[in-house]
């Protein structure tokens, strides 16, 4: 029942023109920020710790811009499942996609490194622009609410991407490799590991931050070519995602250097438009200030 109500709600949202949608977003921002105060303590703590050089006034301004973007992002994600390919292609542009397609045609499979930045949900429209012979997939973490998870699952596959639950990632890639299928797989690699799994730390936004290293291990083991997806918001409702080769000889890199490269690129991107990062996520709960760095094994 809840699933069908969610589907009806999303269908109704999809019928709303973007101009009206963004008017509604203003109300949602007011509700999230001024009425509910959704995770305001988490957001404020993250921003002040990540940008100690910024004044309280600057932090407050980024905070407000983040909540305005969050409201936009929620409604844009709701609308995604019923957008046409033409509408999505107009609003989500991909730069250097021809270089990625060239590598796919050369039978080179690719790992895409992404972050919780800008409209990461709309990046699932990438298959509209990719070499059709390649398998396009994205790794996701299953949500605790089954009805909401089902709706999001369908949203993310609307433009042809295959959803792969995180725990099944290695098996999925191994099957593709065994069948000699060329693939391009998106990893939102800035997930926070559990405390007991926090073994490797990277300098990231003024923290020594625990990092998942599974993406790098899979990239190297299956000889995937690593590309970073650098995203920016051009204007409200319009985004650009640029494919950038992270390293042209990943096999030569020492262990975890690819992870280091990813976090450096992610930090540089966040600093350009900091309000577009998911500051409401408890990303730094197991992190420590740089002056208190735990030694990596």
């Amino acid at each position: 029942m809840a699933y069908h109500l969610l589907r009806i709600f999303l269908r109704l949202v999809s019928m709303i023109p973007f101009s009206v949608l963004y008017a509604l977003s203003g109300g949602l921002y007011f509700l999230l920020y001024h009425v509910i105060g959704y995770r305001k303590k988490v957001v404020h703590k993250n921003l002040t710790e990540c940008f100690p050089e910024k004044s309280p006034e600057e932090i407050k301004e980024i905070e407000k811009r983040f909540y305005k973007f969050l409201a936009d992002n929620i409604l844009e994600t709701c609308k995604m499942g019923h957008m046409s390919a033409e509408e999505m292609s107009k609003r989500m542009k991909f730069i250097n996609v021809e270089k990625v397609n060239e590598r796919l045609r050369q039978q080179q499979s690719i790992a895409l490194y992404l972050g919780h930045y800008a409209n990461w949900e709309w990046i699932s429209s990438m298959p509209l622009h990719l070499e059709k012979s390649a398998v396009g997939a994205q790794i996701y973490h299953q949500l605790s609410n089954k009805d909401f998870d089902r709706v999001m699952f369908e949203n993310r596959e609307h433009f042809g991407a295959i959803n792969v639950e995180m725990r099944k990632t290695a098996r999925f890639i191994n099957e593709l490799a065994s069948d000699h299928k060329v693939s391009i797989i998106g990893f939102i690699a800035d997930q926070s590991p559990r405390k007991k799994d926090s073994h490797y730390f990277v300098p990231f936004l003024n923290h020594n931050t625990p990092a998942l290293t599974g993406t790098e291990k899979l990239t190297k083991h299956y000889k995937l070519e690593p590309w970073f997806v650098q995203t920016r918001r051009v204007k409200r409702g319009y985004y650009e995602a640029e494919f950038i080769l992270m390293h042209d000889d990943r096999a030569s890199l020492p262990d975890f250097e690819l992870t280091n490269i990813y976090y450096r690129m992610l930090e540089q991107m966040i600093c350009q438009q900091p309000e577009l990062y998911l500051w409401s996520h408890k990303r730094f709960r197991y992190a420590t200030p740089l002056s208190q760095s735990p030694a990596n094994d």
Side-chain angles (χ1 to χ4, degrees):
M1 180 64 178
Y3 163 75
H4 293 294
L5 289 175
L6 281 169
R7 289 280 295 169
I8 292 170
F9 172 76
L10 292 183
R11 185 59 181 168
L12 291 173
V13 170
S14 72
M15 298 169 67
I16 300 173
F18 271 98
S19 57
V20 178
L21 195 77
Y22 289 128
L24 295 175
S25 180
L28 181 57
Y29 155 73
F30 184 84
L31 183 66
L32 290 172
Y33 186 69
H34 293 286
V35 180
I36 300 173
Y38 172 71
R39 293 197 171 186
K40 283 183 73 171
K41 290 182 179 180
V42 173
V43 173
H44 188 75
K45 182 175 184 292
N46 284 342
L47 287 172
T48 53
E49 289 184 356
C50 290
F51 302 107
E53 76 284 359
K54 294 188 182 298
S55 68
E57 292 75 20
E58 288 174 309
I59 293 295
K60 178 64 71 174
E61 181 60 28
I62 294 173
E63 194 175 281
K64 288 181 178 179
R65 292 204 307 264
F66 163 70
Y67 276 96
K68 289 176 181 178
F69 169 70
L70 180 63
D72 282 358
N73 186 272
I74 290 170
L75 293 176
E76 287 170 357
T77 300
C78 289
K79 195 172 176 66
M80 178 178 74
H82 295 281
M83 286 174 66
S84 68
E86 293 75 18
E87 178 75 8
M88 179 59 81
S89 295
K90 183 175 70 173
R91 292 178 172 274
M92 185 78 235
K93 300 286 187 181
F94 292 94
I95 301 171
N96 283 345
V97 68
E98 67 280 357
K99 293 183 180 179
V100 169
N101 281 328
E102 181 180 354
R103 297 299 287 142
L104 293 172
R105 285 191 290 270
Q106 293 169 354
Q107 302 301 298
Q108 173 61 62
S109 291
I110 289 172
L112 292 177
Y113 284 68
L114 304 96
H116 285 94
Y117 184 81
N119 196 323
W120 61 90
E121 294 291 351
W122 279 13
I123 292 178
S124 65
S125 66
M126 197 184 312
L128 294 174
H129 311 277
L130 292 175
E131 178 69 28
K132 300 307 178 186
S133 61
V135 176
Q138 56 205 359
I139 310 305
Y140 81 101
H141 189 278
Q142 191 171 32
L143 301 174
S144 56
N145 184 299
K146 292 183 178 180
D147 294 311
F148 191 64
D149 181 72
R150 184 178 172 187
V151 168
M152 289 302 297
F153 188 97
E154 293 171 352
N155 253 20
R156 290 166 177 164
E157 288 198 336
H158 179 57
F159 295 105
I162 298 172
N163 288 320
V164 181
E165 210 283 320
M166 188 181 294
R167 293 167 297 181
K168 301 177 181 178
T169 304
R171 183 190 307 171
F172 178 77
I173 297 176
N174 187 64
E175 289 175 354
L176 290 176
S178 298
D179 294 338
H180 304 288
K181 291 182 178 179
V182 178
S183 62
I184 178 167
I185 302 173
F187 298 84
I188 298 184
D190 62 343
Q191 301 277 2
S192 180
R194 295 175 297 181
K195 189 172 184 179
K196 67 177 183 178
D197 297 326
S198 299
H199 304 305
Y200 187 74
F201 291 74
V202 296
F204 176 58
L205 291 171
N206 198 47
H207 289 80
N208 285 289
T209 310
L212 291 172
T213 57
T215 302
E216 174 174 334
K217 291 175 182 177
L218 290 169
T219 298
K220 286 188 170 183
H221 181 78
Y222 290 102
K223 297 181 174 59
L224 307 177
E225 193 168 70
W227 289 69
F228 182 75
V229 182
Q230 182 167 285
T231 314
R232 72 185 187 98
R233 195 186 200 194
V234 180
K235 61 181 180 178
R236 206 174 195 183
Y238 292 84
Y239 302 86
E240 288 181 350
E242 182 178 0
F243 299 103
I244 301 174
L245 182 63
M246 295 169 65
H247 201 277
D248 58 5
D249 186 14
R250 70 274 187 197
S252 68
L253 295 174
D255 288 346
F256 310 127
E257 181 57 24
L258 193 57
T259 299
N260 294 340
I261 292 171
Y262 163 67
Y263 272 96
R264 287 197 296 269
M265 296 180 78
L266 180 62
E267 179 170 329
Q268 289 172 2
M269 181 172 69
I270 291 169
C271 288
Q272 291 174 10
Q273 292 178 289
E275 67 273 14
L276 303 186
Y277 193 54
L278 188 61
W279 297 108
S280 55
H281 179 51
K282 296 180 180 180
R283 180 65 188 90
F284 304 99
R285 56 187 161 184
Y286 304 131
T288 58
L290 286 173
S291 60
Q292 302 175 22
S293 172
N296 286 315
D297 296 334

